[in-house]
Amino acid sequence: MRKRSKTNKGPSATLTLSAVVGMAVTMMAFAQAPKTKDDRVPVRYTDVRQAAGITFLQDATATDEKYYLETMGTGVAWLDYDQDGLMDLYFVQSAATDIYKPAQPLRSALYHNNGDGTFTDVTDKAGVGGKGHYGQGVAVGDFDNDGYPDLYVTGYGSAILYHNNGDGTFTDVTAKAGVADEGGWSASAGWLDYDKDGWLDLLVTNYIEWSPKNNLWCGERRPGYRSYCHPGNYKGQKTKLYHNNHDGTFTDVSDSSGVGKPESKGMGVVLADFNNDGWTDIAIANDSWPNFLFINKHNGTFEDVSFVSGMAASEDGRYEAGMGIDAADVDGDGWQDVYVTHLDFELNRLYHNNHDGTFNDETFRSGIGNKAVLLSGVAMKFLDYDNDGWTDILQLNGAMLDNIQLYHSEVSYKEPLLMFRNLGKGQFEKVSDSLGPDFMRPIPGRGLATADFDNDGDIDLAVNNRGDYPSLLRNDGGNANHWLEVLLIGTRSNRDGIGASLKLTSEGLVHVEQAKGGMSYMSASDPRIQFGLGKRTKIDSLEITWPSGQLDRLTDVPIDQIIAVKEGTGIVPHQFPKVPAK
């Protein structure tokens, strides 16, 4: 179990962001008035996992030896692997260890979305089971721009890159690509085009130097009390950045780019443009270690501004157990803010972007405060669950220690999900209790990914639970408000459009979103960009600034639809079958 302890701050960064904060495009403020309770639409989340035919069971590989590896859980991804317009599901699995031998070989699982509310296990045909690989997380991206999303599966000791062949099968191309991360304990990963050459590069977070040989005894020495150790007992590993060579291979540029120089204990990552200069930056949640913020210098290198930005630590200077992370504009000013989850007896932090390269810890001023202090925040995701036009906060929880109540009677191993509804201008209220019993059912949560899997306009959830069956929570009611979802198709830019900025104007109000990489914790979400419109019935314009610099301005954009937008062309035909309600 990760314990809370104060750590001395490292040396402050000597450079400021003043040279890189200039905006490439002036963005209008999202000048909405704060909401009232009258704005609410009733939303319930229903767990449809069993009815959907998903039988995957995550194996925690737990033993009395309390291998550190057991605490992490595994991730989950949404991807449309066959490009039929329906989001499919991929669950990452663990593997046998030197002291844990499961009755049946363990494998990850790919489920095809049948379009009728059910899913079919197609793992064997697809070839993405990864038997014998102790998987951790997953990142989805079309690294060769062929129109089909590929899979990068992180893990203990090595990682796997699966190339999508476009015929329902994948090929393990790890060795050729050079992205195995041999000897690393890779957790999260994300795709980005950091040099804007039109090809996706790969960012991988690595955790700590743990092995069965140095597995320490932590906790009390009496039956049942042994616990998992604090990461402070182990040296951290290094972040990896792989540059795409455009020929199916990658070059390790971790050191030359600057992102691999500091020691890290990386968990979650989000890849977004934090200074609005049109170039993708890197934010990493570290476990009991300073969080990282690397600003893109446009020349293949990054500047480490973690300390000067104010994001390295909490407001009171503590390095907490950072795990899940995401970025979004929560107050409508057109700049990306950041949320980081932490364990029980710590606070989950909301960092507000000040537009000058610095961030303020707005945890209390936003109304979030200590409302989840007894919960262990593992993963999180920004989303507009009720489509009212303001970004909400979804947090997945679950204690690291399965015998936590022996040490803290007020804390439970299984914990419910948490939803903070944005009241407008970045002020939040806790609304978890209103979202139904399935949402509030205590679970040992680990991986979290969001998607509109039934194409009905509201955002659903997939959760990979430690040592348990997953959760598939369907959003019922969020589409009572109007909405738009946008699938990006890059041409000069990378095919996924990662790094694009989207500005939607509706009845005089402006909403800015970005196509980001990474997010959450060891998981990958629906790549389609969602805009909640509330009661507004007309979109005046949608402007997309692509990584290539191409600016597409669309008018006559429909509402309550999923659209595909091709760089330089505009809206193009694409099927998005709506799944019948059951």
Side-chain angles (χ1 to χ4, degrees):
M1 177 183 177
R2 299 170 184 82
K3 301 175 183 176
R4 277 64 56 187
S5 62
K6 291 187 177 179
T7 310
N8 292 328
K9 283 189 176 181
S12 297
T14 58
L15 299 176
T16 69
L17 290 180
S18 58
V20 294
V21 174
M23 292 183 61
V25 179
T26 301
M27 297 182 181
M28 297 171 59
F30 192 1
Q32 281 184 275
K35 299 181 298 189
T36 67
K37 290 187 177 180
D38 294 337
D39 297 317
R40 292 189 182 184
V41 296
V43 175
R44 294 289 186 274
Y45 278 97
T46 304
D47 192 344
V48 297
R49 192 266 309 171
Q50 286 184 289
I54 294 173
T55 58
F56 175 83
L57 179 63
Q58 203 275 345
D59 195 319
T61 68
T63 69
D64 292 339
E65 293 299 309
K66 298 292 181 181
Y67 273 11
Y68 206 119
L69 193 62
E70 302 163 11
T71 68
M72 302 282 281
T74 51
V76 57
W78 290 102
L79 73 160
D80 184 3
Y81 79 93
D82 56 353
Q83 292 296 286
D84 64 354
L86 293 161
M87 299 306 297
D88 311 299
L89 258 179
Y90 184 75
F91 294 99
V92 182
Q93 182 61 287
S94 57
T97 68
D98 59 339
I99 59 172
Y100 179 80
K101 307 300 179 185
Q104 301 293 331
L106 301 177
R107 63 168 175 80
S108 298
L110 176 63
Y111 283 89
H112 177 259
N113 187 335
N114 299 323
D116 59 1
T118 68
F119 289 75
T120 299
D121 187 332
V122 295
T123 311
D124 292 339
K125 176 186 175 183
V128 291
K131 290 181 181 179
H133 176 244
Y134 203 112
Q136 292 285 253
V138 56
V140 177
D142 182 1
F143 76 83
D144 59 350
N145 290 330
D146 66 353
Y148 289 89
D150 310 300
L151 283 171
Y152 185 75
V153 184
T154 63
Y156 177 73
S158 66
I160 301 173
L161 178 61
Y162 290 112
H163 174 258
N164 189 332
N165 300 321
D167 59 0
T169 69
F170 291 74
T171 300
D172 182 341
V173 296
T174 315
K176 176 189 174 184
V179 292
D181 193 28
E182 289 287 348
W185 184 353
S186 50
S188 293
W191 296 95
L192 75 164
D193 182 4
Y194 76 90
D195 56 354
K196 299 212 290 188
D197 65 354
W199 297 76
L200 288 178
D201 311 299
L202 180 63
L203 190 287
V204 182
T205 70
N206 282 298
Y207 191 38
I208 58 173
E209 295 288 349
W210 173 90
S211 75
K213 293 180 180 179
N214 66 7
N215 190 57
L216 305 174
W217 183 296
C218 292
E220 299 181 27
R221 287 186 176 269
R222 52 176 169 150
Y225 276 76
R226 185 170 183 177
S227 67
Y228 299 103
C229 295
H230 185 275
N233 290 291
Y234 301 96
K235 182 180 179 181
Q237 295 189 328
K238 300 292 184 74
T239 303
K240 290 291 185 68
L241 178 62
Y242 297 98
H243 177 261
N244 191 327
N245 298 326
H246 312 175
D247 60 0
T249 70
F250 292 76
T251 299
D252 186 340
V253 295
S254 309
D255 291 338
S256 62
S257 67
V259 304
K261 292 182 179 179
E263 181 181 345
S264 67
K265 296 181 180 180
M267 300 294 262
V269 61
V270 59
L271 308 165
D273 179 6
F274 292 107
N275 57 3
N276 285 341
D277 66 353
W279 294 73
T280 300
D281 310 305
I282 300 167
I284 295 174
N286 284 307
D287 188 359
S288 303
W289 198 259
N291 297 320
F292 292 158
L293 178 59
F294 296 106
I295 295 297
N296 195 324
K297 299 296 291 181
H298 312 175
N299 61 1
T301 69
F302 290 79
E303 181 181 1
D304 184 349
V305 298
S306 307
F307 290 96
V308 71
S309 71
M311 199 188 297
S314 65
E315 190 173 34
D316 55 356
R318 299 175 63 204
Y319 305 144
E320 297 171 306
M323 296 189 72
I325 187 171
D326 197 4
D329 175 13
V330 302
D331 55 354
D333 63 358
W335 295 71
Q336 295 285 300
D337 310 298
V338 177
Y339 188 87
V340 182
T341 65
H342 300 107
L343 299 189
D344 48 16
F345 302 103
E346 297 177 340
L347 301 182
N348 305 289
R349 301 289 174 178
L350 177 63
Y351 295 98
H352 175 261
N353 191 326
N354 297 325
H355 314 175
D356 62 358
T358 68
F359 290 76
N360 284 345
D361 184 342
E362 296 279 329
T363 304
F364 280 97
R365 285 180 284 274
S366 66
I368 295 170
N370 62 358
K371 293 177 181 177
V373 71
L374 293 180
L375 299 177
S376 289
V378 179
M380 64 80 49
K381 192 73 175 56
F382 284 116
L383 78 167
D384 186 356
Y385 80 95
D386 56 356
N387 282 327
D388 65 357
W390 290 97
T391 298
D392 311 303
I393 296 172
L394 169 67
Q395 181 174 308
L396 174 66
N397 307 292
M400 294 295 105
L401 192 60
D402 48 13
N403 57 358
I404 183 65
Q405 288 194 302
L406 296 177
Y407 290 92
H408 298 288
S409 60
E410 68 273 43
V411 177
S412 298
Y413 169 57
K414 295 182 179 182
E415 299 172 340
L417 284 157
L418 178 66
M419 185 76 81
F420 286 111
R421 181 175 185 256
N422 194 334
L423 298 174
K425 301 297 183 184
Q427 296 296 308
F428 294 87
E429 67 171 350
K430 183 179 175 182
V431 295
S432 310
D433 292 343
S434 71
L435 299 178
D438 288 348
F439 188 88
M440 290 299 296
R441 180 173 64 89
I443 52 177
R446 292 299 186 266
L448 167 69
T450 60
D452 181 8
F453 82 84
D454 48 6
N455 287 342
D456 68 348
D458 47 33
I459 303 302
D460 314 298
L461 321 174
V463 176
N464 204 346
N465 294 310
R466 178 183 184 261
D468 205 343
Y469 292 100
S471 307
L472 178 58
L473 294 169
R474 186 186 64 210
N475 184 322
D476 295 325
N479 56 10
N481 278 322
H482 295 299
W483 54 275
L484 174 72
E485 293 174 20
V486 183
L487 174 70
L488 298 176
I489 303 174
T491 54
R492 291 169 54 204
S493 303
N494 65 85
R495 175 77 180 211
D496 293 338
I498 292 176
S501 177
L502 296 83
K503 183 171 73 171
L504 181 143
T505 303
S506 174
E507 299 180 10
L509 301 176
V510 176
H511 190 172
V512 176
E513 292 283 352
Q514 291 185 15
K516 300 181 287 285
M519 301 174 285
S520 189
Y521 168 72
M522 303 201 306
S523 299
S525 293
D526 192 335
R528 298 173 296 189
I529 309 298
Q530 177 213 24
F531 290 95
L533 300 174
K535 303 305 179 186
R536 300 192 295 280
T537 58
K538 185 178 187 302
I539 295 172
D540 301 315
S541 67
L542 175 63
E543 293 184 6
I544 303 175
T545 304
W546 298 84
S548 67
Q550 169 77 28
L551 175 63
D552 291 336
R553 187 176 190 275
L554 312 179
T555 55
D556 298 322
V557 178
I559 67 169
D560 299 336
Q561 287 189 33
I562 307 172
I563 61 173
V565 179
K566 189 173 183 178
E567 181 179 10
T569 301
I571 300 175
V572 295
H574 197 293
Q575 61 174 348
F576 298 105
K578 187 173 180 180
V579 177
K582 288 190 176 182

